[in-house]
Structure formats: C-alpha cells, structure tokens
Amino acid sequence: TVRIMHIVHPLLLSTSHFGQTISFVTMSFEGPMTTVFMKSDDNELLNQKGIDFINKCSANMCTTCYNMDVVPRMYGYLEFGLSAVENALSNITDIEKGIKGSVEKDVVEYFLHSAKAYSIRKSIDGTLKKDVTVAMQFQHLGHVLFYDSSEAKPQVCIDDPNGILTDAEGKTSPLPQFRDITYVPVKTGVVPNLLFDHMYIIFGPGLTLNWQPWFEKKLCE
C-alpha cells in the first residue's frame, strides 16, 4: 500500500483541488523507483514545469533502503542489479539449496552454468537494449534513507541522475548521491542475504512481522 501511495502522491498533487487543500507526505519502505522525467527537446517551458512539479512532490517523499537491498535500486540503477546477479551466479551451489530431486538439480545446474558462461551484460545489451534505456531513466523522488547496518545511523541521500532535484531554496542539493553506493559481493548466501536485506526494515516497532515465527525463521536461515 505504501509503495502504491508513492505512485499516487504525484497524481493527487497534480489535481489542483487536492493540491490546495491537502498536504501529502508519503514514505516507501524498500520500494522501487517510480518516476521518469522525460525532457522535451524543444519546449524549455514545459521542462521547467515538469522539474518544478517533481521538486514539489519531492518535498514530502522519502524511501528507505537497507544495506544491499536490490529493490530500491530498481529500475534505474542497473549496474547494482547486474552485480548482484553476477554474484549469485558465482555461487551456484548456494542457489541450488532447497531444490529437491536430482533431475531438478541437474536442470538448474545446466541453466545456471550456461548463464554464467555467457556474459549477462552482452545478453542484455543485445536483446534488451531499448528496455534498459527506459529502465535507467527511473529515479526516486525526495530523500533516500540508507541504512548500512542495523546499528548505523541512516545516511540521507538523493537519487538525482538528471540533476533536477533542488533543496527548499531552489539550489542543487549537497546530499550524497544514492547511486554512488555500490554493491558489495558476498562469498556465500547471496540470495538469502538479498532477501534478508529487503525484509529487515519491517522488523521495527509498528512495522514488524516478527510476531510470525515462520517469517523470522525464514529470514534468518
């Protein structure tokens, strides 16, 4: 629901009636990027209106990102996702855990070895180039609260690949760029680690699902 509201927020704000009578504040927990700024080649006035509207929305929006969670890096931060996939493919045994049956394991091993042998980057560049171009235009609005660990204080970042986000005074934000945080590979447990990072944030008071023993056990395996 929170992620849906992150999309609905700009839609409601664009309606003059709602924009004048209601103040919206939305926070997305580990949600993906939702917005694309499509620059016009011949209408600077339209571009400026778009930038002003994006900054108006950004004033009351933020997203959390815990450690190496790949979801908040989707869809614009492609390099991060590719690094995570390559890390997973480098540890085929780890991915095969939980797969029952020798035939199933043989099939999975065949496809994983094939994918590892053939460059993922070359495959994407050859077959998904147009899709990647679109995906990389997505960005977060507002601030991104990055948590390096459960003990670390959140680092306030912005996701501004197009250089259009400004502070309250209309100046370019001095905050660090979210996409400067690179993926850190792990030697084992790639997939479980990614799942844990994505779900860990909701273990906090008021957001927790750890009252369900099966849920906590699954994340901590």
Side-chain angles (χ1 to χ4, degrees):
T1 301
V2 174
R3 294 175 187 175
I4 293 175
M5 282 307 300
H6 230 46
I7 299 172
V8 173
H9 184 133
L11 297 178
L12 292 178
L13 200 58
S14 66
T15 304
S16 58
H17 174 70
F18 285 106
Q20 293 174 5
T21 59
I22 301 176
S23 177
F24 297 96
V25 178
T26 55
M27 183 172 185
S28 174
F29 297 98
E30 307 299 301
M33 301 171 183
T34 59
T35 305
V36 173
F37 171 61
M38 299 294 292
K39 185 177 180 179
S40 172
D41 294 330
D42 56 6
N43 193 330
E44 286 303 320
L45 179 61
L46 183 63
N47 287 336
Q48 191 57 52
K49 286 184 177 180
I51 292 173
D52 290 344
F53 178 70
I54 284 176
N55 279 289
K56 185 177 180 180
C57 294
S58 294
N60 295 314
M61 298 176 73
C62 69
T63 302
T64 67
C65 178
Y66 183 78
N67 201 14
M68 295 292 104
D69 186 5
V70 297
V71 176
R73 273 85 177 195
M74 295 167 57
Y75 308 91
Y77 193 1
L78 180 63
E79 182 62 32
F80 192 97
L82 284 174
S83 297
V85 171
E86 289 174 338
N87 188 195
L89 290 176
S90 69
N91 191 348
I92 292 175
T93 302
D94 180 61
I95 297 178
E96 292 172 342
K97 286 182 180 179
I99 300 177
K100 298 180 180 180
S102 59
V103 175
E104 290 85 349
K105 286 188 176 182
D106 288 342
V107 172
V108 170
E109 184 176 358
Y110 171 78
F111 282 109
L112 288 177
H113 276 294
S114 297
K116 185 179 177 182
Y118 186 73
S119 170
I120 299 174
R121 295 173 189 273
K122 286 183 179 179
S123 176
I124 289 177
D125 187 58
T127 61
L128 300 173
K129 194 170 183 177
K130 292 182 179 180
D131 299 290
V132 168
T133 301
V134 173
M136 291 183 69
Q137 295 180 63
F138 277 83
Q139 69 176 92
H140 286 294
L141 296 188
H143 292 150
V144 180
L145 307 181
F146 174 71
Y147 294 82
D148 186 59
S149 68
S150 58
E151 294 82 19
K153 292 183 179 179
Q155 180 181 10
V156 182
C157 306
I158 58 170
D159 182 38
D160 191 21
N162 299 305
I164 59 175
L165 298 183
T166 58
D167 60 18
E169 298 178 354
K171 299 179 181 179
T172 301
S173 176
L175 293 172
Q177 290 287 341
F178 177 55
R179 302 188 196 200
D180 287 344
I181 302 171
T182 57
Y183 179 75
V184 179
V186 295
K187 293 183 179 180
T188 59
V190 180
V191 175
N193 270 301
L194 291 175
L195 176 62
F196 182 87
D197 284 353
H198 181 59
M199 303 302 292
Y200 182 81
I201 200 90
I202 61 173
F203 278 169
L207 302 171
T208 183
L209 285 180
N210 64 5
W211 53 270
Q212 298 186 39
W214 62 267
F215 193 86
E216 185 173 19
K217 179 179 182 299
K218 182 66 177 176
L219 286 181
C220 298
E221 285 180 346

